[in-house]
Amino acid sequence: MADPMHQFQIQKIVELPTVTVLGQAIDLSITNSVAAMMLAATLVIAFYVLASAKQAVVPGRLQSLGEMLYGLVNGLTESIIGHDGKKYLPFVFTLFIFVLFANIQGMFLVFTATSQIAVTLTLGLMVILTVVAVGFAKNGLKFFKLFAPSGVPWPLYFLLVPIEILSFLIRPVTLALRLFGNMLGGHVVLKIFAGFVVALGGMGVLGWAGAALALSSVVALTALEFMVAFLQAFVFAVLTCVYLNDVVHLDSH
């Protein structure tokens, strides 16, 4: 049976020189992870160029799908953040559509970019840094009120403030681990069951029965994995809106 973890190994595709920035050597080579992210971004652009090409009053299938995805995130930001959600729609939608395409793309290619913790952690850090920037821009030093909720007896602040700070700091980690774990685990399980199909296929009649069962499991898991690919992108967008809402409406915190 093939190694189910082999599909996650980083490999260089295009060798490029190493540059030094602030004393730190940075390898600019294009890996399969970088190529997968570039492809996902290209597919997103191509999809919306084609979907918006006609801009018909009665939309076709591609335009309907593009509008449905946009409307989904638009409704999400408005329902969670409120009227101010329009300001953050481009950011939230970009994250959602990139993660969605990267997840689904991984179902057809050998490599899935969102199965790499470095990729998902970078996305998580982008969210939290944006939240901090919005928090300071909108509230100034009142941003720190986020860690001291009102209406709490003052002695409890000695316990509550450290907990709130720790909770805020681990947000990018939880964002990263949730997406990384679901994509990694799903692809590993698919690879294992696909390996069973091949391994059991050459073991006679009983092996064929086992291979058929494993194959039906692969089909079911593939359908489930497509649903998980969408749900994880949606959850990432939901949590981004929730974190932005905390600083946009800090006065009600």
Side-chain angles (χ1 to χ4, degrees), residues 36-223:
M37 288 186 284
M38 292 172 64
L39 178 59
T42 302
L43 289 175
V44 169
I45 295 171
F47 171 74
Y48 271 99
V49 167
L50 293 174
S52 61
K54 295 182 179 180
Q55 297 185 4
V57 177
V58 180
R61 294 179 180 178
L62 200 61
Q63 184 178 337
S64 296
L65 179 59
E67 290 178 354
M68 182 191 71
L69 293 173
Y70 181 83
L72 176 68
V73 181
N74 181 39
L76 183 67
T77 55
E78 189 171 351
S79 62
I80 295 177
I81 306 176
H83 180 70
D84 289 335
K86 290 288 185 182
K87 299 177 183 178
Y88 311 104
L89 175 60
F91 176 69
V92 178
F93 181 73
T94 301
L95 283 173
F96 166 78
I97 202 68
F98 174 77
V99 172
L100 177 62
F101 270 64
N103 290 350
I104 294 178
Q105 169 187 288
M107 298 296 296
F108 299 97
L109 301 179
V110 176
F111 191 85
T112 307
T114 46
S115 66
Q116 298 293 314
I117 188 64
V119 174
T120 59
L121 186 57
T122 299
L123 294 174
L125 287 172
M126 285 174 57
V127 171
I128 295 305
L129 290 176
T130 301
V131 169
V132 172
V134 170
F136 277 110
K138 192 172 182 64
N139 305 286
L141 293 178
K142 290 183 179 179
F143 169 76
F144 293 106
K145 183 184 175 183
L146 181 67
F147 309 116
S150 58
V152 177
W154 71 266
L156 290 181
Y157 281 121
F158 293 103
L159 176 64
L160 190 60
V161 170
I163 293 176
E164 289 290 334
I165 293 174
L166 181 61
S167 175
F168 184 84
L169 292 177
I170 65 173
R171 283 180 176 181
V173 178
T174 56
L175 276 174
L177 290 178
R178 182 181 291 104
L179 178 56
F180 157 75
N182 277 279
M183 300 315 298
L184 177 77
H187 285 286
V188 168
V189 171
L190 278 175
K191 186 74 171 182
I192 291 174
F193 275 88
F196 284 153
V197 175
V198 177
L200 294 173
M203 298 177 62
V205 177
L206 291 178
W208 295 343
L213 179 61
L215 181 59
S216 62
S217 299
V218 169
V219 173
L221 287 170
T222 299

Side-chain angles (χ1 to χ4, degrees), residues 221-244:
L221 287 170
T222 299
L224 178 63
E225 191 67 7
F226 273 106
M227 183 177 68
V228 169
F230 172 79
L231 287 176
Q232 286 306 308
F234 182 74
V235 169
F236 204 94
V238 168
L239 292 177
T240 300
C241 290
V242 170
Y243 298 156
L244 284 169

